[in-house]
Amino acid sequence: AFMDAKRLGKRIKIARVENDLTQGQLAEAINATQKSISRYETGLSIPSLETLEKIVKVLKKPFGYFLDD
């Protein structure tokens, strides 16, 4: 299924805020840049599966939370 970048981004942002993390802190935790987190959250780019797996782990949500409708 095609990933809806905007929806995925929104979910990442919600989960990040719930975990009380800044974009910078999330970026650091997954060894990325704050700019790339910003791009994921706004739907400008989609994280690779590998990166998404790291995000999922840090944000403590089931994988499906980010992908399901």
Side-chain angles (χ1 to χ4, degrees):
F2 177 73
M3 233 187 270
D4 181 333
K6 280 225 182 323
R7 183 193 293 131
L8 175 64
K10 212 170 280 181
R11 299 262 167 106
I12 292 173
K13 181 170 188 173
I14 291 167
R16 174 177 63 75
V17 171
E18 282 177 358
N19 280 274
D20 206 29
L21 294 172
T22 64
Q23 287 184 346
Q25 287 168 323
L26 176 56
E28 210 173 299
I30 68 162
N31 205 11
T33 63
Q34 184 264 323
K35 189 175 179 180
S36 57
I37 301 297
S38 174
R39 290 177 63 83
Y40 300 151
E41 290 189 358
T42 52
L44 285 173
S45 61
I46 290 184
S48 67
L49 207 52
E50 194 184 349
T51 300
L52 187 57
E53 280 171 357
K54 290 179 192 168
I55 291 172
V56 167
K57 216 171 266 173
V58 173
L59 298 182
K60 304 179 186 81
K61 290 267 188 212
F63 208 82
Y65 170 85
F66 298 95
L67 303 180
D68 292 347
D69 286 346

Short mmCIF file of all heavy atoms in Angstrom, two decimals:
data_model
loop_
_atom_site.label_atom_id
_atom_site.label_comp_id
_atom_site.label_asym_id
_atom_site.label_seq_id
_atom_site.Cartn_x
_atom_site.Cartn_y
_atom_site.Cartn_z
N ALA A 1 0.84 -1.19 0.00
CA ALA A 1 0.00 0.00 0.00
C ALA A 1 0.88 1.25 0.00
O ALA A 1 1.93 1.28 0.62
CB ALA A 1 -0.90 0.00 1.24
N PHE A 2 0.44 2.26 -0.68
CA PHE A 2 1.19 3.51 -0.73
C PHE A 2 1.08 4.22 0.61
O PHE A 2 0.02 4.30 1.21
CB PHE A 2 0.64 4.41 -1.84
CG PHE A 2 1.32 5.75 -1.88
CD1 PHE A 2 2.61 5.85 -2.35
CD2 PHE A 2 0.67 6.88 -1.43
CE1 PHE A 2 3.25 7.08 -2.38
CE2 PHE A 2 1.30 8.11 -1.45
CZ PHE A 2 2.59 8.20 -1.93
N MET A 3 2.20 4.70 1.08
CA MET A 3 2.22 5.41 2.35
C MET A 3 1.81 6.86 2.16
O MET A 3 2.37 7.55 1.32
CB MET A 3 3.63 5.35 2.94
CG MET A 3 3.67 4.83 4.35
SD MET A 3 5.33 4.99 5.04
CE MET A 3 6.04 3.44 4.55
N ASP A 4 0.85 7.29 2.94
CA ASP A 4 0.43 8.69 2.91
C ASP A 4 1.42 9.50 3.75
O ASP A 4 1.40 9.43 4.98
CB ASP A 4 -0.99 8.80 3.46
CG ASP A 4 -1.52 10.23 3.44
OD1 ASP A 4 -0.70 11.17 3.51
OD2 ASP A 4 -2.74 10.40 3.35
N ALA A 5 2.30 10.24 3.08
CA ALA A 5 3.39 10.95 3.76
C ALA A 5 2.88 11.94 4.80
O ALA A 5 3.43 12.05 5.89
CB ALA A 5 4.26 11.66 2.73
N LYS A 6 1.80 12.64 4.46
CA LYS A 6 1.26 13.64 5.39
C LYS A 6 0.69 12.98 6.64
O LYS A 6 0.88 13.45 7.76
CB LYS A 6 0.20 14.50 4.70
CG LYS A 6 0.81 15.59 3.83
CD LYS A 6 0.08 16.90 4.07
CE LYS A 6 0.58 18.05 3.19
NZ LYS A 6 2.02 18.07 2.93
N ARG A 7 -0.04 11.88 6.44
CA ARG A 7 -0.63 11.18 7.58
C ARG A 7 0.46 10.58 8.46
O ARG A 7 0.42 10.67 9.68
CB ARG A 7 -1.59 10.10 7.13
CG ARG A 7 -2.27 9.42 8.34
CD ARG A 7 -2.99 8.13 7.98
NE ARG A 7 -4.12 8.40 7.12
CZ ARG A 7 -4.37 7.74 5.99
NH1 ARG A 7 -3.56 6.81 5.58
NH2 ARG A 7 -5.41 8.03 5.27
N LEU A 8 1.43 9.95 7.80
CA LEU A 8 2.56 9.37 8.55
C LEU A 8 3.25 10.45 9.37
O LEU A 8 3.54 10.26 10.54
CB LEU A 8 3.54 8.71 7.58
CG LEU A 8 4.82 8.16 8.21
CD1 LEU A 8 4.51 7.02 9.18
CD2 LEU A 8 5.79 7.69 7.13
N GLY A 9 3.48 11.60 8.75
CA GLY A 9 4.14 12.70 9.43
C GLY A 9 3.38 13.18 10.64
O GLY A 9 3.96 13.46 11.69
N LYS A 10 2.06 13.25 10.48
CA LYS A 10 1.20 13.70 11.58
C LYS A 10 1.31 12.73 12.75
O LYS A 10 1.40 13.13 13.90
CB LYS A 10 -0.25 13.78 11.08
CG LYS A 10 -1.06 14.87 11.75
CD LYS A 10 -2.40 15.07 11.03
CE LYS A 10 -2.28 15.92 9.78
NZ LYS A 10 -3.56 16.13 9.08
N ARG A 11 1.32 11.42 12.43
CA ARG A 11 1.41 10.41 13.48
C ARG A 11 2.76 10.49 14.20
O ARG A 11 2.83 10.33 15.41
CB ARG A 11 1.24 9.00 12.88
CG ARG A 11 -0.10 8.79 12.22
CD ARG A 11 -1.08 8.07 13.13
NE ARG A 11 -2.42 8.15 12.60
CZ ARG A 11 -3.06 7.12 12.02
NH1 ARG A 11 -2.45 5.96 11.88
NH2 ARG A 11 -4.27 7.26 11.58
N ILE A 12 3.82 10.70 13.43
CA ILE A 12 5.15 10.82 14.03
C ILE A 12 5.16 12.00 15.00
O ILE A 12 5.63 11.90 16.13
CB ILE A 12 6.25 10.97 12.97
CG1 ILE A 12 6.41 9.66 12.18
CG2 ILE A 12 7.59 11.36 13.61
CD1 ILE A 12 7.35 9.75 10.98
N LYS A 13 4.59 13.11 14.54
CA LYS A 13 4.58 14.32 15.38
C LYS A 13 3.79 14.10 16.66
O LYS A 13 4.24 14.45 17.76
CB LYS A 13 4.01 15.50 14.60
CG LYS A 13 4.02 16.77 15.44
CD LYS A 13 3.71 18.01 14.65
CE LYS A 13 3.93 19.23 15.51
NZ LYS A 13 3.79 20.48 14.74
N ILE A 14 2.60 13.53 16.54
CA ILE A 14 1.76 13.28 17.72
C ILE A 14 2.49 12.39 18.71
O ILE A 14 2.56 12.68 19.91
CB ILE A 14 0.40 12.64 17.31
CG1 ILE A 14 -0.45 13.66 16.55
CG2 ILE A 14 -0.35 12.13 18.55
CD1 ILE A 14 -1.65 13.06 15.84
N ALA A 15 3.08 11.30 18.21
CA ALA A 15 3.79 10.36 19.09
C ALA A 15 5.00 11.03 19.73
O ALA A 15 5.30 10.80 20.90
CB ALA A 15 4.20 9.12 18.30
N ARG A 16 5.68 11.86 18.96
CA ARG A 16 6.85 12.56 19.49
C ARG A 16 6.44 13.50 20.63
O ARG A 16 7.08 13.52 21.70
CB ARG A 16 7.55 13.35 18.38
CG ARG A 16 8.69 14.22 18.89
CD ARG A 16 9.40 14.94 17.80
NE ARG A 16 8.59 15.89 17.06
CZ ARG A 16 8.21 17.08 17.50
NH1 ARG A 16 8.53 17.50 18.71
NH2 ARG A 16 7.49 17.89 16.74
N VAL A 17 5.38 14.26 20.42
CA VAL A 17 4.91 15.20 21.43
C VAL A 17 4.44 14.44 22.67
O VAL A 17 4.71 14.84 23.80
CB VAL A 17 3.79 16.10 20.86
CG1 VAL A 17 3.13 16.92 21.97
CG2 VAL A 17 4.36 17.02 19.79
N GLU A 18 3.76 13.30 22.47
CA GLU A 18 3.31 12.47 23.59
C GLU A 18 4.50 11.99 24.42
O GLU A 18 4.39 11.79 25.62
CB GLU A 18 2.51 11.27 23.09
CG GLU A 18 1.09 11.59 22.71
CD GLU A 18 0.34 10.38 22.16
OE1 GLU A 18 0.94 9.29 22.05
OE2 GLU A 18 -0.85 10.54 21.83
N ASN A 19 5.62 11.76 23.75
CA ASN A 19 6.83 11.30 24.43
C ASN A 19 7.66 12.47 24.97
O ASN A 19 8.75 12.26 25.49
CB ASN A 19 7.68 10.45 23.49
CG ASN A 19 7.18 9.01 23.39
OD1 ASN A 19 7.54 8.18 24.20
ND2 ASN A 19 6.35 8.75 22.40
N ASP A 20 7.11 13.68 24.81
CA ASP A 20 7.77 14.87 25.33
C ASP A 20 9.18 15.06 24.76
O ASP A 20 10.11 15.40 25.47
CB ASP A 20 7.82 14.78 26.87
CG ASP A 20 7.88 16.17 27.51
OD1 ASP A 20 7.34 17.11 26.89
OD2 ASP A 20 8.47 16.31 28.59
N LEU A 21 9.30 14.81 23.45
CA LEU A 21 10.59 14.98 22.78
C LEU A 21 10.51 16.12 21.77
O LEU A 21 9.48 16.31 21.13
CB LEU A 21 10.96 13.70 22.01
CG LEU A 21 11.25 12.44 22.81
CD1 LEU A 21 11.41 11.26 21.87
CD2 LEU A 21 12.50 12.61 23.66
N THR A 22 11.61 16.85 21.64
CA THR A 22 11.70 17.84 20.56
C THR A 22 12.12 17.11 19.30
O THR A 22 12.58 15.96 19.35
CB THR A 22 12.76 18.91 20.89
OG1 THR A 22 14.04 18.27 20.96
CG2 THR A 22 12.48 19.61 22.21
N GLN A 23 12.00 17.78 18.17
CA GLN A 23 12.49 17.20 16.91
C GLN A 23 13.97 16.88 17.04
O GLN A 23 14.43 15.84 16.58
CB GLN A 23 12.26 18.17 15.75
CG GLN A 23 10.81 18.27 15.33
CD GLN A 23 10.62 19.15 14.11
OE1 GLN A 23 11.51 19.90 13.71
NE2 GLN A 23 9.46 19.07 13.50
N GLY A 24 14.70 17.78 17.68
CA GLY A 24 16.13 17.58 17.85
C GLY A 24 16.47 16.35 18.69
O GLY A 24 17.39 15.60 18.37
N GLN A 25 15.68 16.13 19.75
CA GLN A 25 15.91 14.98 20.62
C GLN A 25 15.59 13.68 19.90
O GLN A 25 16.32 12.69 20.04
CB GLN A 25 15.07 15.09 21.89
CG GLN A 25 15.59 16.15 22.86
CD GLN A 25 14.58 16.46 23.96
OE1 GLN A 25 13.37 16.48 23.73
NE2 GLN A 25 15.08 16.71 25.16
N LEU A 26 14.51 13.68 19.13
CA LEU A 26 14.16 12.49 18.35
C LEU A 26 15.25 12.21 17.32
O LEU A 26 15.69 11.07 17.14
CB LEU A 26 12.80 12.65 17.67
CG LEU A 26 12.37 11.51 16.75
CD1 LEU A 26 12.37 10.16 17.46
CD2 LEU A 26 11.00 11.79 16.12
N ALA A 27 15.68 13.27 16.67
CA ALA A 27 16.74 13.14 15.66
C ALA A 27 17.98 12.51 16.27
O ALA A 27 18.56 11.57 15.70
CB ALA A 27 17.07 14.50 15.06
N GLU A 28 18.37 13.01 17.42
CA GLU A 28 19.56 12.49 18.11
C GLU A 28 19.39 11.01 18.45
O GLU A 28 20.31 10.22 18.27
CB GLU A 28 19.78 13.30 19.38
CG GLU A 28 21.23 13.40 19.81
CD GLU A 28 21.41 14.36 20.98
OE1 GLU A 28 21.09 15.55 20.82
OE2 GLU A 28 21.86 13.88 22.03
N ALA A 29 18.21 10.67 18.92
CA ALA A 29 17.94 9.29 19.34
C ALA A 29 18.04 8.29 18.19
O ALA A 29 18.39 7.14 18.39
CB ALA A 29 16.57 9.21 20.00
N ILE A 30 17.72 8.74 16.98
CA ILE A 30 17.77 7.82 15.84
C ILE A 30 18.95 8.14 14.91
O ILE A 30 19.04 7.61 13.81
CB ILE A 30 16.45 7.82 15.03
CG1 ILE A 30 16.22 9.16 14.32
CG2 ILE A 30 15.27 7.48 15.93
CD1 ILE A 30 15.22 9.08 13.20
N ASN A 31 19.82 9.02 15.37
CA ASN A 31 21.02 9.36 14.62
C ASN A 31 20.69 10.01 13.27
O ASN A 31 21.23 9.65 12.23
CB ASN A 31 21.88 8.10 14.42
CG ASN A 31 23.34 8.44 14.20
OD1 ASN A 31 23.76 9.58 14.41
ND2 ASN A 31 24.12 7.48 13.78
N ALA A 32 19.76 10.97 13.33
CA ALA A 32 19.37 11.71 12.13
C ALA A 32 19.53 13.20 12.43
O ALA A 32 19.95 13.58 13.51
CB ALA A 32 17.93 11.38 11.76
N THR A 33 19.17 14.04 11.47
CA THR A 33 19.21 15.48 11.70
C THR A 33 17.82 15.99 12.05
O THR A 33 16.82 15.38 11.67
CB THR A 33 19.70 16.23 10.45
OG1 THR A 33 18.77 16.02 9.39
CG2 THR A 33 21.08 15.76 10.02
N GLN A 34 17.80 17.11 12.76
CA GLN A 34 16.50 17.71 13.10
C GLN A 34 15.75 18.07 11.84
O GLN A 34 14.53 17.93 11.77
CB GLN A 34 16.74 18.95 13.97
CG GLN A 34 15.46 19.62 14.47
CD GLN A 34 15.03 20.78 13.59
OE1 GLN A 34 15.87 21.51 13.09
NE2 GLN A 34 13.74 20.94 13.41
N LYS A 35 16.48 18.47 10.81
CA LYS A 35 15.85 18.85 9.55
C LYS A 35 15.12 17.66 8.91
O LYS A 35 14.02 17.83 8.36
CB LYS A 35 16.92 19.40 8.58
CG LYS A 35 16.32 20.01 7.33
CD LYS A 35 17.40 20.65 6.46
CE LYS A 35 16.76 21.23 5.20
NZ LYS A 35 17.74 21.86 4.32
N SER A 36 15.70 16.49 9.01
CA SER A 36 15.02 15.33 8.41
C SER A 36 13.76 14.97 9.19
O SER A 36 12.75 14.60 8.59
CB SER A 36 15.96 14.12 8.28
OG SER A 36 16.52 13.77 9.51
N ILE A 37 13.79 15.12 10.52
CA ILE A 37 12.58 14.88 11.31
C ILE A 37 11.49 15.87 10.90
O ILE A 37 10.34 15.50 10.70
CB ILE A 37 12.85 15.02 12.83
CG1 ILE A 37 13.94 14.06 13.31
CG2 ILE A 37 11.56 14.83 13.63
CD1 ILE A 37 13.63 12.59 13.17
N SER A 38 11.89 17.12 10.74
CA SER A 38 10.95 18.16 10.30
C SER A 38 10.33 17.79 8.95
O SER A 38 9.13 17.94 8.75
CB SER A 38 11.69 19.50 10.20
OG SER A 38 10.84 20.47 9.66
N ARG A 39 11.16 17.29 8.04
CA ARG A 39 10.67 16.91 6.72
C ARG A 39 9.71 15.71 6.78
O ARG A 39 8.73 15.66 6.05
CB ARG A 39 11.83 16.60 5.78
CG ARG A 39 12.63 17.84 5.38
CD ARG A 39 13.83 17.49 4.52
NE ARG A 39 13.43 16.89 3.25
CZ ARG A 39 13.06 17.59 2.17
NH1 ARG A 39 13.06 18.90 2.21
NH2 ARG A 39 12.69 16.98 1.06
N TYR A 40 10.00 14.77 7.67
CA TYR A 40 9.09 13.63 7.84
C TYR A 40 7.74 14.11 8.38
O TYR A 40 6.69 13.71 7.89
CB TYR A 40 9.64 12.58 8.83
CG TYR A 40 10.97 11.97 8.45
CD1 TYR A 40 11.85 11.52 9.43
CD2 TYR A 40 11.35 11.83 7.12
CE1 TYR A 40 13.07 10.94 9.11
CE2 TYR A 40 12.57 11.26 6.78
CZ TYR A 40 13.43 10.83 7.78
OH TYR A 40 14.64 10.27 7.46
N GLU A 41 7.80 14.98 9.38
CA GLU A 41 6.57 15.41 10.05
C GLU A 41 5.68 16.25 9.13
O GLU A 41 4.47 16.24 9.28
CB GLU A 41 6.90 16.17 11.33
CG GLU A 41 7.46 15.26 12.41
CD GLU A 41 7.59 15.94 13.77
OE1 GLU A 41 7.28 17.15 13.87
OE2 GLU A 41 8.01 15.26 14.71
N THR A 42 6.29 16.97 8.23
CA THR A 42 5.49 17.80 7.31
C THR A 42 5.10 17.03 6.06
O THR A 42 4.37 17.54 5.22
CB THR A 42 6.25 19.08 6.91
OG1 THR A 42 7.54 18.71 6.43
CG2 THR A 42 6.40 20.03 8.08
N GLY A 43 5.59 15.80 5.94
CA GLY A 43 5.23 14.98 4.79
C GLY A 43 6.04 15.30 3.54
O GLY A 43 5.69 14.88 2.45
N LEU A 44 7.12 16.07 3.71
CA LEU A 44 7.96 16.40 2.56
C LEU A 44 8.81 15.22 2.14
O LEU A 44 9.18 15.08 0.98
CB LEU A 44 8.86 17.60 2.88
CG LEU A 44 8.19 18.96 2.89
CD1 LEU A 44 9.16 20.02 3.39
CD2 LEU A 44 7.69 19.33 1.50
N SER A 45 9.15 14.38 3.12
CA SER A 45 9.85 13.15 2.76
C SER A 45 9.38 12.02 3.66
O SER A 45 8.81 12.25 4.73
CB SER A 45 11.36 13.33 2.84
OG SER A 45 11.75 13.67 4.15
N ILE A 46 9.60 10.81 3.22
CA ILE A 46 9.18 9.61 3.94
C ILE A 46 10.43 8.91 4.44
O ILE A 46 11.37 8.69 3.66
CB ILE A 46 8.35 8.68 3.02
CG1 ILE A 46 6.99 9.31 2.72
CG2 ILE A 46 8.16 7.30 3.68
CD1 ILE A 46 6.07 8.44 1.92
N PRO A 47 10.47 8.57 5.73
CA PRO A 47 11.65 7.86 6.24
C PRO A 47 11.78 6.48 5.60
O PRO A 47 10.78 5.87 5.24
CB PRO A 47 11.37 7.74 7.74
CG PRO A 47 9.91 7.92 7.91
CD PRO A 47 9.46 8.78 6.78
N SER A 48 13.01 6.03 5.46
CA SER A 48 13.22 4.66 4.99
C SER A 48 12.64 3.72 6.03
O SER A 48 12.40 4.12 7.18
CB SER A 48 14.72 4.38 4.84
OG SER A 48 15.33 4.38 6.13
N LEU A 49 12.42 2.48 5.65
CA LEU A 49 11.86 1.50 6.57
C LEU A 49 12.76 1.35 7.79
O LEU A 49 12.30 1.28 8.93
CB LEU A 49 11.70 0.15 5.86
CG LEU A 49 10.59 -0.75 6.41
CD1 LEU A 49 9.27 0.00 6.49
CD2 LEU A 49 10.45 -1.98 5.54
N GLU A 50 14.06 1.36 7.56
CA GLU A 50 15.05 1.24 8.63
C GLU A 50 14.91 2.40 9.62
O GLU A 50 14.90 2.20 10.83
CB GLU A 50 16.44 1.23 8.02
CG GLU A 50 17.54 0.79 8.96
CD GLU A 50 18.93 0.90 8.33
OE1 GLU A 50 19.01 1.11 7.10
OE2 GLU A 50 19.91 0.80 9.08
N THR A 51 14.78 3.60 9.07
CA THR A 51 14.63 4.79 9.91
C THR A 51 13.30 4.76 10.66
O THR A 51 13.24 5.08 11.85
CB THR A 51 14.73 6.07 9.05
OG1 THR A 51 16.01 6.09 8.42
CG2 THR A 51 14.55 7.33 9.89
N LEU A 52 12.26 4.34 9.95
CA LEU A 52 10.94 4.27 10.58
C LEU A 52 10.95 3.28 11.74
O LEU A 52 10.36 3.55 12.79
CB LEU A 52 9.87 3.88 9.55
CG LEU A 52 8.42 3.94 10.05
CD1 LEU A 52 8.06 5.33 10.57
CD2 LEU A 52 7.46 3.53 8.94
N GLU A 53 11.67 2.18 11.58
CA GLU A 53 11.77 1.20 12.66
C GLU A 53 12.43 1.82 13.90
O GLU A 53 12.01 1.56 15.02
CB GLU A 53 12.57 -0.03 12.20
CG GLU A 53 11.72 -0.98 11.39
CD GLU A 53 12.53 -2.11 10.73
OE1 GLU A 53 13.77 -2.12 10.85
OE2 GLU A 53 11.89 -2.98 10.11
N LYS A 54 13.44 2.66 13.67
CA LYS A 54 14.10 3.34 14.80
C LYS A 54 13.14 4.32 15.47
O LYS A 54 13.08 4.41 16.70
CB LYS A 54 15.34 4.10 14.32
CG LYS A 54 16.49 3.21 13.89
CD LYS A 54 17.64 4.09 13.42
CE LYS A 54 18.72 3.29 12.71
NZ LYS A 54 19.68 4.19 12.03
N ILE A 55 12.39 5.06 14.65
CA ILE A 55 11.42 6.03 15.17
C ILE A 55 10.37 5.31 16.03
O ILE A 55 10.04 5.76 17.13
CB ILE A 55 10.75 6.81 14.02
CG1 ILE A 55 11.77 7.74 13.34
CG2 ILE A 55 9.54 7.61 14.53
CD1 ILE A 55 11.27 8.41 12.08
N VAL A 56 9.87 4.20 15.50
CA VAL A 56 8.85 3.40 16.20
C VAL A 56 9.36 2.97 17.58
O VAL A 56 8.65 3.07 18.57
CB VAL A 56 8.46 2.17 15.34
CG1 VAL A 56 7.67 1.15 16.15
CG2 VAL A 56 7.67 2.60 14.12
N LYS A 57 10.62 2.52 17.61
CA LYS A 57 11.22 2.05 18.87
C LYS A 57 11.31 3.20 19.88
O LYS A 57 10.93 3.05 21.03
CB LYS A 57 12.61 1.48 18.58
CG LYS A 57 12.96 0.29 19.44
CD LYS A 57 14.25 -0.38 18.97
CE LYS A 57 14.01 -1.53 18.02
NZ LYS A 57 15.22 -2.09 17.43
N VAL A 58 11.80 4.35 19.43
CA VAL A 58 11.98 5.50 20.32
C VAL A 58 10.64 6.03 20.81
O VAL A 58 10.50 6.39 21.98
CB VAL A 58 12.78 6.62 19.61
CG1 VAL A 58 12.82 7.88 20.47
CG2 VAL A 58 14.19 6.15 19.28
N LEU A 59 9.64 6.05 19.94
CA LEU A 59 8.34 6.63 20.29
C LEU A 59 7.39 5.65 20.95
O LEU A 59 6.26 6.00 21.30
CB LEU A 59 7.70 7.28 19.06
CG LEU A 59 8.51 8.43 18.45
CD1 LEU A 59 7.77 9.04 17.27
CD2 LEU A 59 8.83 9.50 19.49
N LYS A 60 7.84 4.41 21.12
CA LYS A 60 7.10 3.39 21.87
C LYS A 60 5.65 3.22 21.40
O LYS A 60 4.73 3.17 22.22
CB LYS A 60 7.11 3.73 23.37
CG LYS A 60 8.49 3.91 23.98
CD LYS A 60 8.38 4.27 25.44
CE LYS A 60 9.71 4.60 26.09
NZ LYS A 60 10.16 5.99 25.82
N LYS A 61 5.47 3.12 20.10
CA LYS A 61 4.14 2.85 19.56
C LYS A 61 4.23 1.59 18.72
O LYS A 61 5.29 1.28 18.17
CB LYS A 61 3.69 4.01 18.64
CG LYS A 61 3.40 5.29 19.37
CD LYS A 61 1.94 5.38 19.72
CE LYS A 61 1.58 6.74 20.28
NZ LYS A 61 0.51 6.67 21.25
N PRO A 62 3.12 0.88 18.58
CA PRO A 62 3.16 -0.26 17.66
C PRO A 62 3.38 0.23 16.23
O PRO A 62 2.93 1.32 15.88
CB PRO A 62 1.79 -0.92 17.82
CG PRO A 62 0.92 0.12 18.44
CD PRO A 62 1.81 1.05 19.21
N PHE A 63 4.05 -0.58 15.45
CA PHE A 63 4.36 -0.21 14.07
C PHE A 63 3.11 0.22 13.31
O PHE A 63 3.12 1.19 12.56
CB PHE A 63 5.03 -1.40 13.37
CG PHE A 63 5.95 -0.98 12.26
CD1 PHE A 63 7.25 -0.58 12.57
CD2 PHE A 63 5.56 -1.00 10.94
CE1 PHE A 63 8.12 -0.20 11.55
CE2 PHE A 63 6.42 -0.62 9.94
CZ PHE A 63 7.70 -0.21 10.25
N GLY A 64 2.03 -0.51 13.53
CA GLY A 64 0.78 -0.25 12.83
C GLY A 64 0.22 1.14 13.08
O GLY A 64 -0.50 1.68 12.24
N TYR A 65 0.56 1.72 14.23
CA TYR A 65 0.07 3.05 14.55
C TYR A 65 0.45 4.05 13.47
O TYR A 65 -0.31 4.96 13.14
CB TYR A 65 0.65 3.50 15.90
CG TYR A 65 0.41 4.95 16.24
CD1 TYR A 65 -0.79 5.35 16.85
CD2 TYR A 65 1.35 5.94 15.96
CE1 TYR A 65 -1.03 6.68 17.15
CE2 TYR A 65 1.11 7.27 16.27
CZ TYR A 65 -0.07 7.63 16.85
OH TYR A 65 -0.30 8.94 17.15
N PHE A 66 1.64 3.87 12.91
CA PHE A 66 2.14 4.81 11.92
C PHE A 66 1.64 4.52 10.50
O PHE A 66 1.62 5.39 9.65
CB PHE A 66 3.68 4.81 11.93
CG PHE A 66 4.24 5.26 13.25
CD1 PHE A 66 4.60 4.35 14.22
CD2 PHE A 66 4.35 6.61 13.53
CE1 PHE A 66 5.10 4.77 15.44
CE2 PHE A 66 4.84 7.05 14.76
CZ PHE A 66 5.22 6.13 15.71
N LEU A 67 1.21 3.27 10.28
CA LEU A 67 0.86 2.88 8.92
C LEU A 67 -0.62 2.67 8.67
O LEU A 67 -1.08 2.80 7.57
CB LEU A 67 1.64 1.60 8.55
CG LEU A 67 3.15 1.70 8.68
CD1 LEU A 67 3.80 0.38 8.29
CD2 LEU A 67 3.71 2.83 7.82
N ASP A 68 -1.35 2.28 9.72
CA ASP A 68 -2.77 1.99 9.53
C ASP A 68 -3.60 3.23 9.26
O ASP A 68 -3.25 4.31 9.68
CB ASP A 68 -3.34 1.28 10.76
CG ASP A 68 -2.78 -0.11 10.93
OD1 ASP A 68 -2.16 -0.60 9.98
OD2 ASP A 68 -2.97 -0.69 12.01
N ASP A 69 -4.70 3.03 8.59
CA ASP A 69 -5.65 4.11 8.36
C ASP A 69 -6.41 4.45 9.63
O ASP A 69 -6.70 3.57 10.40
CB ASP A 69 -6.65 3.72 7.27
CG ASP A 69 -6.01 3.75 5.89
OD1 ASP A 69 -4.91 4.32 5.78
OD2 ASP A 69 -6.62 3.20 4.96
#
